[in-house]
Amino acid sequence: MNAVIQVSDLEIEKRLNGVSVNAQKGDCIHVIGPNGAGKSTLMTAIAGLVSPDNGCITFKGKPLEYWSLAELASMRTVLAQQLELSFALSVSEYLSFYSISENLIIPSMLETALEIAAFLNKPITQLSGGERRRVEICRALLQIWPQLLKGEGIAILDEPLQGLDIRHQYAVATLVQTLCSKGNTVIMSSHDIGLSVNYCSQLWLMQQGNIVASGTPSKVATQFNLEKVFECHFSVNQKNNFLEIQVCAPITLE
């Protein structure tokens, strides 16, 4: 099967060291690793927002640089880790820029997971951090919603769970899973290892600008790999179809 996204020998000075990974149609990929591992840099490069020093990225067999910005915007969407918007637009006004219909309609799947209807008329600048994050996830997915409905979308989400309460974390993880089950490809970074290993089909583990391991969660999230990368002790147990991961000996400050 041809990869939807193919990353070959990707290098960015002091950030990525010859990274090579693939994403297939329908893959739900979670990228984990400590701060500074290169997760955001890799995702930004895959999104086409930063040019690598060396290496190649292809979308559907075509080098990334040969896709026009309009083509990319219609099939792949990006959620950045840092959010910047100083204009006091209402949530409805903001999202309407990304809606395909003249009047803003939030697809029921998005509303069920993100629950933003209650503050559509509220200025974005008055939202809490978690509310704002949910709006941005909605914005990102609305941008390519026609492609997502067809199972042909690509979503690159940098820490979408950041700032969300636990219920919405699992709601968003389930939403991403559901979109991938329709054929879409999603790459998202996360700091919640326990959630990620149970809500992804593929796991990329990064450290110091390298992919340490990639593959199914049970193959990647081993005690050896996690302890090597995160430098603390882990307990990893398989319970039926659930991977239970706990930090069993945190770092002491003595």
Side-chain angles (χ1 to χ4, degrees):
M1 178 183 290
N2 293 328
V4 173
I5 301 171
Q6 186 167 10
V7 180
S8 303
D9 301 318
L10 198 68
E11 294 185 3
I12 295 179
E13 186 177 6
K14 298 181 180 179
R15 291 186 284 175
L16 295 178
N17 307 312
V19 170
S20 295
V21 282
N22 295 328
Q24 306 292 340
K25 182 175 173 59
D27 272 351
C28 180
I29 299 169
H30 285 222
V31 188
I32 63 172
N35 293 334
K39 302 184 297 295
S40 292
T41 301
L42 175 59
M43 298 178 73
T44 303
I46 292 175
L49 302 180
V50 63
S51 299
D53 298 320
N54 291 294
C56 179
I57 302 170
T58 64
F59 275 13
K60 300 181 179 181
K62 181 178 173 180
L64 188 57
E65 60 267 27
Y66 293 161
W67 290 90
S68 70
L69 291 178
E71 288 174 324
L72 283 177
S74 69
M75 73 169 196
R76 76 93 180 92
T77 190
V78 183
L79 175 71
Q81 186 179 147
Q82 302 298 327
L83 307 176
E84 296 182 9
L85 185 67
S86 57
F87 299 105
L89 295 171
S90 70
V91 171
S92 180
E93 289 171 328
Y94 178 57
L95 292 178
S96 67
F97 293 124
Y98 302 89
S99 175
I100 60 172
S101 59
E102 185 174 339
N103 297 316
L104 175 65
I105 298 175
I106 306 296
S108 59
M109 187 188 304
L110 297 187
E111 175 56 30
T112 299
L114 301 172
E115 297 181 322
I116 61 176
F119 47 83
L120 280 175
N121 295 322
K122 195 172 182 179
I124 285 184
T125 52
Q126 294 180 17
L127 300 180
S128 71
E131 290 172 338
R132 175 69 192 280
R133 200 68 179 166
R134 283 147 56 194
V135 169
E136 288 298 334
I137 294 168
C138 186
R139 183 274 308 163
L141 298 178
L142 276 178
Q143 178 186 319
I144 60 166
W145 193 248
Q147 292 298 317
L148 292 173
L149 286 177
K150 294 188 292 186
E152 297 293 336
I154 297 171
I156 301 168
L157 312 176
D158 196 358
E159 294 196 31
L161 309 182
Q162 178 178 282
L164 300 187
D165 57 58
I166 191 165
R167 186 166 70 88
H168 287 105
Q169 287 179 24
Y170 280 87
V172 169
T174 301
L175 171 63
V176 168
Q177 261 192 340
T178 302
L179 291 174
C180 291
S181 72
K182 298 179 181 296
N184 299 293
T185 304
V186 178
I187 303 174
M188 62 171 274
S189 58
S190 169
H191 281 292
D192 190 327
I193 303 170
L195 182 150
S196 284
V197 297
N198 290 295
Y199 280 82
C200 71
S201 61
Q202 297 289 311
L203 194 65
W204 295 353
L205 178 60
M206 295 193 70
Q207 181 184 37
Q208 297 179 347
N210 299 294
I211 295 286
V212 174
S214 64
T216 60
S218 59
K219 171 187 171 184
V220 173
T222 64
Q223 181 180 352
F224 175 82
N225 284 343
L226 295 178
E227 291 184 347
K228 175 184 176 183
V229 168
F230 291 97
E231 299 181 346
C232 51
H233 297 293
F234 283 84
S235 171
V236 180
N237 298 293
Q238 179 85 47
K239 294 186 176 181
N240 297 321
N241 294 323
F242 183 82
L243 267 177
E244 183 181 74
I245 296 181
Q246 294 179 315
V247 178
C248 56
I251 296 172
T252 63
L253 300 180
E254 297 178 358

